């Protein structure tokens, strides 16, 4: 029988246009969500389902812009990458553009101690894009 071990949310902004945070370039992605899941009671294999939302505003002078999202198991970009995606912003849409994703991590090693941490990073290929909200990062851990 499947058991829910833990569920967490990192909620930066609940409303549209409630924040204004520059999106950094691909060389130095910015953190937009981090969660720690308590999985110490797991007996069987651990599975984690992750989801997230980030809302981006084009630069004032719209140019071809690609947003990249990365999720790692850990706290730094050097940790194991478990999900990434890239999507171009629509130049015809002048308002905020919403990005959502769903990711899975299977047969996750149980940490020796403490929580199982996931971190979501966001970056752009051009300067001038902004995170404007809403944005969130969610995770739920299961075991048998």
């Amino acid at each position: 029988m499947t058991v829910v071990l833990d569920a967490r949310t990192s909620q930066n902004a609940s409303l549209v246009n409630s924040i204004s945070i520059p999106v950094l370039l691909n060389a130095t992605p910015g953190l937009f969500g981090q969660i720690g899941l308590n999985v110490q009671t797991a007996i069987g294999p651990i599975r984690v389902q992750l989801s997230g939302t980030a809302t981006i505003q084009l630069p004032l002078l719209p140019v071809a812009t690609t947003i990249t999202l990365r999720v790692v198991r850990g706290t730094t970009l050097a940790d194991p990458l478990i999900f990434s995606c890239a999507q171009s912003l629509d130049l015809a849409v002048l308002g905020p553009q919403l990005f959502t994703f769903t990711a899975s991590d299977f047969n996750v090693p149980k940490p020796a101690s403490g929580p199982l941490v996931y971190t979501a990073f966001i970056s752009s290929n051009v300067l001038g894009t902004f995170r404007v909200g809403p944005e969130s990062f969610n995770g739920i851990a299961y075991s048998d």
Side-chain angles (χ1 to χ4, degrees), residues 58-129:
L58 275 168
L60 288 176
L61 296 172
V63 296
T65 305
T66 300
I67 300 298
T68 301
L69 300 171
R70 295 177 184 93
V71 178
V72 298
R73 185 186 320 120
T75 59
T76 72
L77 284 167
D79 288 320
L81 180 68
I82 61 124
F83 176 82
S84 68
C85 67
Q87 185 170 335
S88 296
L89 292 173
D90 186 343
L91 295 176
V93 177
L94 297 179
Q97 297 181 45
L98 184 70
F99 293 89
T100 61
F101 69 91
T102 302
S104 299
D105 195 12
F106 290 91
N107 295 320
V108 178
K110 184 170 23 175
S113 64
L116 176 61
V117 177
Y118 288 90
T119 306
F121 295 93
I122 190 167
S123 61
S124 177
N125 66 323
V126 297
L127 288 175
T129 55

